[in-house]
Amino acid sequence: MRGSVNIALNPGAYAAIRGYHGGNGPGSEGARMRQGLEFVKMHGLGNDFVMIDGLARDVELASGEVERLCDRHFGIGADGVIVVRPSARPECAAYMH
């Protein structure tokens, strides 16, 4: 599964897949959205994860944002989020966080 997601940055709001920009939804008052965070959802052996490419741009997610992304009713639905980032070690091309 490939897609992009908008993540609500205030604590009362929730993640929405494509197109939620505030309005009448929960926590919509003053919600600022992080637009177009692209992801790939991968699964295997009974687990599924949202993979985010953090190599090209800096991606920092608060624990509440990760919870909203993983919510199976209002988010993408996953067991966790993995962000692939550049490695500080020269022998490694990247690391997963």
Side-chain angles (χ1 to χ4, degrees):
M1 172 187 201
R2 287 186 169 278
S4 67
V5 67
N6 299 321
I7 301 173
L9 297 178
N10 68 330
Y14 60 91
I17 300 173
R18 299 177 194 249
Y20 178 78
H21 298 284
N24 297 325
S28 62
E29 298 82 31
R32 294 180 306 135
M33 304 299 280
R34 182 182 303 185
Q35 302 294 318
L37 183 62
E38 294 183 11
F39 69 91
V40 175
K41 184 173 177 183
M42 303 182 91
H43 59 90
L45 300 174
N47 295 304
D48 57 344
F49 292 92
V50 174
M51 303 286 293
I52 299 173
D53 182 357
L55 294 172
R57 68 182 211 189
D58 189 30
V59 177
E60 291 293 331
L61 298 173
S63 61
E65 292 174 310
V66 171
E67 287 179 30
R68 288 187 292 276
L69 283 172
C70 293
D71 187 296
R72 295 194 187 274
H73 297 285
F74 296 109
I76 298 164
D79 293 317
V81 174
I82 297 175
V83 179
V84 180
R85 300 178 181 204
S87 176
R89 297 172 45 186
E91 67 273 17
C92 299
Y95 79 98
M96 295 185 291
H97 175 78

